[in-house]
């Protein structure tokens, strides 16, 4: 049975243009956090904009999503760009098959507000980050959306969109600290729908 995300896969990038400024800056900042040659996992990757940006510096990027239709579009983008260092898999970020510390960097962009159990997702993502590696969590601040974007969100709800949390920057920081993450101080990326960007480094083992 097709999900909401399967149904809108063909329109996803078009809808993203409504928040072009914040989205582009979030992609730029996330890509800058990727070390050359890094092993990267991107969860809830959608049509792959963060995966493709990370692939410019990474050694290997595993682009994952629950929606196969989204991943099909991400694959086609990578093919058009000639990117050969990406792999694509349908995965649930709440239950990853990877060993502990498998990745140098893990990205989960604009998904936490959609989850009924975001704390479980954060714990699972943190588990697969290696000591000294990074968990990168750009998250839409729907609690700070402008009037026009609040109307757009209402239209999305009519189509089946179902966010669980409307974060503000302060609320997002509180959530991350409640998850036990170190240095949980997200920065704000301005836009019609602002983004809270959290970059968390896993302590190296002694």
């Amino acid at each position: 049975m097709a999900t909401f995300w399967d149904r809108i896969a063909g329109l996803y990038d078009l809808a993203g243009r409504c928040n072009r400024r914040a989205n582009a800056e979030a992609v730029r900042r996330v890509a800058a956090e990727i070390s050359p040659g890094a092993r990267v996992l991107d969860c809830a990757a959608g049509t792959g904009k963060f995966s493709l940006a990370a692939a410019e510096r990474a050694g290997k990027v595993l682009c994952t999503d629950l929606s196969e239709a989204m991943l099909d579009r991400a694959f086609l983008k990578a093919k058009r760009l000639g990117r050969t260092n990406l792999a694509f898999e349908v995965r649930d970020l709440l239950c990853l098959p990877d060993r502990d510390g498998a990745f140098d960097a893990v990205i989960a962009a604009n998904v936490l507000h959609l989850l009924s159990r975001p704390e479980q997702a954060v714990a699972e993502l943190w588990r697969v980050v290696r000591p000294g590696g990074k968990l990168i969590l750009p998250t839409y601040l729907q609690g700070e959306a402008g009037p026009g974007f609040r109307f757009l969100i209402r239209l999305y709800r009519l189509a089946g969109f179902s966010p669980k949390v409307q974060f503000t920057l302060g609320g997002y920081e509180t959530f991350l600290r409640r998850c036990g993450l170190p240095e949980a101080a997200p920065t704000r990326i301005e836009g019609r729908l602002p983004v809270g960007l959290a970059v968390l480094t896993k302590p190296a083992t002694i």
Side-chain angles (χ1 to χ4, degrees):
M1 180 178 175
T3 67
F4 168 78
W5 301 105
D6 293 322
R7 294 195 301 271
I8 70 157
L11 299 173
Y12 186 74
D13 290 332
L14 180 63
R17 294 179 187 175
C18 297
N19 198 41
R20 188 194 306 264
R21 175 186 173 193
N23 290 339
E25 181 63 11
V27 169
R28 186 191 70 78
R29 291 196 199 180
V30 168
E33 295 290 341
I34 304 301
S35 300
R39 298 163 297 163
V40 177
L41 172 66
D42 186 7
C43 291
T47 60
K49 60 180 178 290
F50 286 95
S51 290
L52 290 166
E56 294 181 16
R57 302 182 68 181
K60 186 76 172 182
V61 177
L62 179 55
C63 177
T64 71
D65 199 279
L66 270 178
S67 169
E68 192 166 355
M70 289 283 193
L71 288 178
D72 287 343
R73 294 195 167 268
F75 173 79
L76 290 174
K77 286 184 185 179
K79 186 175 181 180
R80 284 197 301 269
L81 293 169
R83 298 283 183 209
T84 59
N85 61 335
L86 290 98
F88 303 85
E89 290 186 15
V90 174
R91 285 197 183 181
D92 182 351
L93 83 170
L94 294 173
C95 186
L96 298 171
D98 310 282
R99 60 176 173 81
D100 293 357
F103 298 96
D104 300 305
V106 175
I107 303 165
N110 304 321
V111 64
L112 295 179
H113 64 290
L114 303 174
L115 303 176
S116 299
R117 295 173 291 167
E119 295 90 349
Q120 180 182 339
V122 169
E124 184 68 346
L125 296 166
W126 190 241
R127 179 185 68 79
V128 299
V129 177
R130 69 163 176 82
K134 295 177 181 178
L135 176 58
I136 307 171
L137 299 172
T139 297
Y140 285 135
L141 303 177
Q142 290 196 359
E144 300 183 12
F149 226 97
R150 287 198 294 271
F151 175 73
L152 185 60
I153 290 169
R154 287 197 294 272
L155 291 179
Y156 263 52
R157 285 178 182 273
L158 293 175
F161 178 63
S162 181
K164 308 301 182 185
V165 184
Q166 291 193 341
F167 285 117
T168 62
L169 187 63
Y172 187 36
E173 179 172 356
T174 298
F175 163 76
L176 293 171
R177 292 189 182 280
R178 193 168 66 242
C179 291
L181 296 179
E183 302 175 8
T187 58
R188 178 187 172 96
I189 298 174
E190 298 294 342
R192 296 178 66 193
L193 179 58
V195 174
L197 174 60
V199 180
L200 305 134
T201 302
K202 195 170 194 177
T205 54
I206 298 175

